[in-house]
Amino acid sequence: QVFEVGGGAGTTLQACAMAKLGMPRGFFVVFALVLIGSLVLLISGAIVLGTGTTEKSLIEDLDPNVDFRLLPDACHIVEVAHATRDEKEVGESLDDYVNLVPVCYDDFWITFQTDGKYLSSRVTTTRRGSHSCAEGSPEPRFRAGQMVPCWEPLLWPVDPIYRCANSMCIKIFPPSEELQEAARNADDANTTGWVVFGSGLFCMLCVVPCLVIGGRLLRKVTDAHEEFVSKSISASEAANNSSLQEETSLAQTVGKTVSVETGEEQVV
């Protein structure tokens, strides 16, 4: 097989790989894309799994009852700022995978007071449901004027998992809830990581070998077909040559006439 010269190292490597795997060029391109996609899925899944596993391990080492204490005086909710977000998401029905459904999210920024200091809480988001923000009404967890329990840290520096929203890291949300939310996020990351990693592993162990086998079979079928066509053409050419030789011989025989009168052979 002759390969084009001047294509660079990539062309040479591709030619060598195609020759080694024994598959046609088009099939080799599909094989290469699937192989690269499998590697990307494996690496991405491993990264997500590692991140989720590390996060879950850090969460399990934390104890909100040791890291925080409940303040003796309740905190006063001074202001609750509110904003809405209209977004599109995939719904539960099959049609919703094609036509996204509208979803409304409510974001709340809470300002509270404790010991004469005005502090901010982290942004909280609630999902109103599968409809536009123009429909329905928000359901905030806190309202202005409420007196609510709050917590302050006992250990510094505070672990980032607790998501401090102010310099004193005083919270109106129970630290245990934040750990539970962080644990759910870590579990979701692990689930996503396993799905992505498993998809890459399936492609690597099943799809890629099937493509190799299929490519080789296709190459054998193609070679057999080309060989059959070549033999057919050769046989046809041989038959044509034989027929042409017979016709030439017959023409020469017919072209020879004997003159009975002169007794000489005359060629026409």
Side-chain angles (χ1 to χ4, degrees), residues 119-165:
L119 303 173
S120 297
S121 176
R122 62 181 174 84
V123 179
T124 59
T125 301
T126 59
R127 187 178 186 274
R128 206 184 294 183
S130 299
H131 49 67
S132 171
C133 289
E135 306 173 13
S137 59
E139 298 179 0
R141 180 171 177 176
F142 301 105
R143 297 184 183 275
Q146 274 186 294
M147 301 298 293
V148 298
C150 46
W151 292 259
E152 69 173 357
L154 294 175
L155 301 176
W156 290 91
V158 181
D159 194 285
I161 293 177
Y162 285 114
R163 299 163 59 188
C164 296

Side-chain angles (χ1 to χ4, degrees), residues 55-68 155 157-163 175-176 178-179 182:
E55 191 81 3
K56 192 65 179 291
S57 177
L58 293 175
I59 293 171
E60 292 175 350
D61 292 336
L62 298 176
D63 185 352
N65 296 321
V66 175
D67 300 334
F68 285 83
L155 301 176
V158 181
D159 194 285
I161 293 177
Y162 285 114
R163 299 163 59 188
S176 58
E178 295 185 336
L179 285 187

Side-chain angles (χ1 to χ4, degrees), residues 55-230:
E55 191 81 3
K56 192 65 179 291
S57 177
L58 293 175
I59 293 171
E60 292 175 350
D61 292 336
L62 298 176
D63 185 352
N65 296 321
V66 175
D67 300 334
F68 285 83
R69 78 177 183 95
L70 182 66
L71 289 176
D73 297 327
C75 292
H76 175 236
I77 304 297
V78 177
E79 182 185 8
V80 179
H82 171 238
T84 59
R85 289 182 290 117
D86 277 310
E87 296 187 3
K88 298 284 188 177
E89 292 184 357
V90 175
E92 296 180 356
S93 64
L94 182 61
D95 294 337
D96 293 337
Y97 279 89
V98 180
N99 301 316
L100 300 180
V101 298
V103 176
C104 177
Y105 285 95
D106 294 286
D107 297 324
F108 299 95
W109 292 265
I110 303 170
T111 302
F112 62 95
Q113 183 183 21
T114 178
D115 195 21
K117 298 181 180 65
Y118 290 88
L119 303 173
S120 297
S121 176
R122 62 181 174 84
V123 179
T124 59
T125 301
T126 59
R127 187 178 186 274
R128 206 184 294 183
S130 299
H131 49 67
S132 171
C133 289
E135 306 173 13
S137 59
E139 298 179 0
R141 180 171 177 176
F142 301 105
R143 297 184 183 275
Q146 274 186 294
M147 301 298 293
V148 298
C150 46
W151 292 259
E152 69 173 357
L154 294 175
L155 301 176
W156 290 91
V158 181
D159 194 285
I161 293 177
Y162 285 114
R163 299 163 59 188
C164 296
N166 53 72
S167 59
M168 300 176 65
C169 201
I170 295 179
K171 297 178 170 295
I172 58 175
F173 294 94
S176 58
E177 287 187 8
E178 295 185 336
L179 285 187
Q180 292 172 2
E181 182 180 353
R184 286 193 298 268
N185 294 336
D187 290 337
D188 292 340
N190 285 334
T191 301
T192 303
W194 278 117
V195 171
V196 174
F197 185 85
S199 300
L201 191 63
F202 172 79
C203 291
M204 184 66 71
L205 297 181
C206 299
V207 179
V208 171
C210 289
L211 286 175
V212 173
I213 295 173
R216 289 178 176 176
L217 289 176
L218 180 61
R219 184 60 178 268
K220 289 182 179 180
V221 171
T222 303
D223 292 344
H225 176 71
E226 291 177 353
E227 183 180 359
F228 173 77
V229 171
S230 178

Side-chain angles (χ1 to χ4, degrees), residues 28 35 40 86 239-240 255-256:
F28 176 79
L35 180 61
V40 170
D86 277 310
N240 291 336
K256 293 179 180 181

